[in-house]
Amino acid sequence: MRVVGPDDPLGVLRRVAVAGSAGSGKSTLARMLCERLGVPFVEMETFFHGPGWTVRETWQADLLEYLDRDVWAIEWQGEEVRERMTARLDVLVWLDHPRALAMVRVISRTLQRRFGRGTKIAGGNVEGPLHTFFTDRNHIVRLAWRYHPIMRARVRKLIDENRHPDLVVVRLRGQRQVDRWLRGPVSALVGGC
């Protein structure tokens, strides 16, 4: 396994997952990569969430079918399928942003969604009222705070175990490094950046 930074060449960019905490920009980057790779973007939540925050019964099978394609980019999520996803990857992009940046982004996204100007949520779902931040342990902002170190530990464990020797992990810290990576190594492989 090779861990690289924002300026290091990649070699190949066909099957990519983007890891990071809530608010790190996983979906945004995966969408941008799909555009540059010329393939449709399908958000991970689309596989998982049905109406009323229900879990779709076929989400794992549908996701695995998507991952059978030759080229894709998606968020590195789904505990039950993460290992199978990782086994198919060429590149894992690790958005290892400071917790403060991720929190500002998740709060901003939550406020925009709440006031009807943000991105839609799969299954036609809507985030709960803002005041539930104080009462709901699973409010997205509270989850984002709790899971930031957990996601960092998951990626570090993947690197330490080194069970996928051909995998390239691109570690990006902050938006400037993301932008540099897109302008540099990604542009060199797929152009259009």
Side-chain angles (χ1 to χ4, degrees):
M1 179 177 307
R2 197 166 56 107
V3 180
V4 301
D7 302 311
D8 298 311
L10 293 171
V12 67
L13 189 68
R14 293 174 306 159
R15 293 181 300 273
V16 187
V18 183
S21 65
S24 64
K26 295 182 303 292
S27 299
T28 300
L29 184 57
R31 181 180 290 110
M32 291 172 72
L33 291 170
C34 281
E35 288 171 6
R36 291 167 190 199
L37 292 168
V39 297
F41 171 67
V42 181
E43 191 170 9
M44 178 70 172
E45 284 186 353
T46 303
F47 292 108
F48 190 76
H49 287 207
W53 295 107
T54 57
V55 176
R56 294 181 62 247
E57 288 184 25
T58 61
W59 82 269
Q60 290 184 45
D62 294 344
L63 175 62
L64 293 172
E65 181 179 321
Y66 175 81
L67 297 177
D68 277 342
R69 299 176 181 184
D70 290 330
V71 180
W72 44 263
I74 196 165
E75 305 95 327
W76 194 60
Q77 298 183 111
E79 195 65 36
E80 300 86 350
V81 295
R82 187 175 283 126
E83 179 57 32
R84 287 177 281 178
M85 179 188 295
T86 304
R88 294 270 303 142
L89 289 175
D90 298 316
V91 176
L92 177 67
V93 181
W94 178 17
L95 299 177
D96 188 21
H97 299 331
R99 191 184 238 173
L101 174 60
M103 293 308 299
V104 166
R105 286 179 171 182
V106 82
I107 290 167
S108 174
R109 181 183 71 196
T110 297
L111 290 171
Q112 288 176 8
R113 282 179 173 168
R114 196 65 199 149
F115 295 110
R117 295 188 310 264
T119 56
K120 303 292 182 201
I121 301 173
N125 295 301
V126 178
E127 289 182 5
L130 296 175
H131 69 82
T132 62
F133 169 80
F134 299 103
T135 58
D136 183 0
R137 175 172 161 59
N138 292 319
H139 187 281
I140 187 61
V141 175
R142 292 175 72 175
L143 279 174
W145 180 265
R146 259 192 337 267
Y147 278 91
H148 188 274
I150 292 170
M151 183 52 69
R152 190 174 266 171
R154 282 182 181 152
V155 178
R156 285 188 173 135
K157 180 180 179 191
L158 174 74
I159 293 167
D160 291 344
E161 289 178 351
N162 195 22
R163 290 181 292 114
H164 304 280
D166 296 330
L167 179 62
V168 174
V169 177
V170 180
R171 186 177 188 186
L172 304 173
R173 299 177 189 165
Q175 191 58 45
R176 286 188 181 128
Q177 287 193 1
V178 172
D179 295 341
R180 256 181 33 216
W181 183 69
L182 289 169
R183 282 191 311 268
V186 173
S187 183
L189 286 175
V190 297
C193 297

